[in-house]
C-alpha cells in the first residue's frame, strides 16, 4: 500500500468525522429550535383564541341606554364575522341589503320583522 495515499485517506476520514460531529450538533440545535417554535405557535393560538373569546364576550355584554338594557354593536373589523352581531342586528342588515335603494328606519324595522313601530 502507498503510505502517502493511506495518510490522505486517514486525514480525509478525520475531516469527515469532524464535519459529521458539527452537523450532528447543528441538527440537534435546529430540531430543538423547531420544537420551541411549535410550542410558541400553540401558545400563540391559545392566547389568540382566548383574546377573541374575551373580545366577543365583552362586545355582547349589554349596556344601559335610556334606562333600558341594549346590546351594543360590536366594532366591526375585517376579521369579525357578522354572525357575532345580536340576531336583531343581523335581521336589520339583511333587510337593508334586500332593499332596492335607500330605506327609512320604519321600513327596515318592518322588513326585519321586529314588529316595533318607530316614528320617522
Amino acid at each position: 500500500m502507498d503510505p502517502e495515499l493511506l495518510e490522505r485517506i486517514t486525514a480525509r476520514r478525520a475531516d469527515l468525522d469532524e464535519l459529521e460531529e458539527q452537523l450532528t450538533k447543528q441538527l440537534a440545535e435546529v430540531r430543538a429550535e423547531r420544537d420551541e417554535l411549535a410550542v410558541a405557535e400553540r401558545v400563540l393560538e391559545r392566547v389568540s383564541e382566548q383574546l377573541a373569546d374575551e373580545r366577543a364576550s365583552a362586545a355582547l355584554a349589554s349596556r344601559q341606554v335610556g334606562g333600558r338594557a341594549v346590546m351594543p354593536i360590536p366594532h366591526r373589523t375585517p376579521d369579525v364575522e357578522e354572525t357575532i352581531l345580536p340576531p336583531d342586528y343581523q335581521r336589520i342588515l339583511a333587510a337593508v341589503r334586500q332593499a332596492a335603494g335607500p330605506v327609512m328606519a320604519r321600513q327596515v324595522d318592518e322588513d326585519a320583522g321586529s314588529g316595533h313601530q318607530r316614528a320617522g
Side-chain angles (χ1 to χ4, degrees), residues 91-93 95-96 103-114:
R91 283 191 293 275
I92 292 168
L93 287 173
V96 170
V103 293
M104 294 187 350
R106 178 178 295 163
Q107 182 182 352
V108 170
D109 192 41
E110 291 168 1
D111 290 348
S114 65

Side-chain angles (χ1 to χ4, degrees), residues 58-112:
L60 293 177
S62 65
R63 306 276 197 279
Q64 291 287 324
V65 175
R68 293 182 13 198
V70 297
M71 296 296 288
I73 299 174
H75 180 71
R76 294 285 307 274
T77 59
D79 61 328
V80 174
E81 295 294 325
E82 188 175 297
T83 55
I84 196 170
L85 294 171
D88 288 339
Y89 291 111
Q90 292 180 39
R91 283 191 293 275
I92 292 168
L93 287 173
V96 170
R97 280 194 195 99
Q98 290 175 358
V103 293
M104 294 187 350
R106 178 178 295 163
Q107 182 182 352
V108 170
D109 192 41
E110 291 168 1
D111 290 348

Side-chain angles (χ1 to χ4, degrees), residues 1-50:
M1 276 218 217
D2 184 357
E4 184 181 325
L5 188 55
L6 186 58
E7 184 179 319
R8 290 174 115 185
I9 291 173
T10 303
R12 181 63 181 152
R13 184 179 306 258
D15 289 344
L16 291 175
D17 288 346
E18 184 179 326
L19 181 58
E20 180 184 26
E21 186 177 320
Q22 290 173 359
L23 290 174
T24 300
K25 183 179 177 183
Q26 280 184 318
L27 181 59
E29 291 170 357
V30 165
R31 287 179 174 161
E33 185 175 350
R34 189 175 52 201
D35 291 345
E36 290 172 358
L37 288 174
V39 170
E41 284 176 328
R42 286 193 301 270
V43 169
L44 179 61
E45 287 174 11
R46 284 188 199 136
V47 169
S48 295
E49 288 171 5
Q50 288 173 349

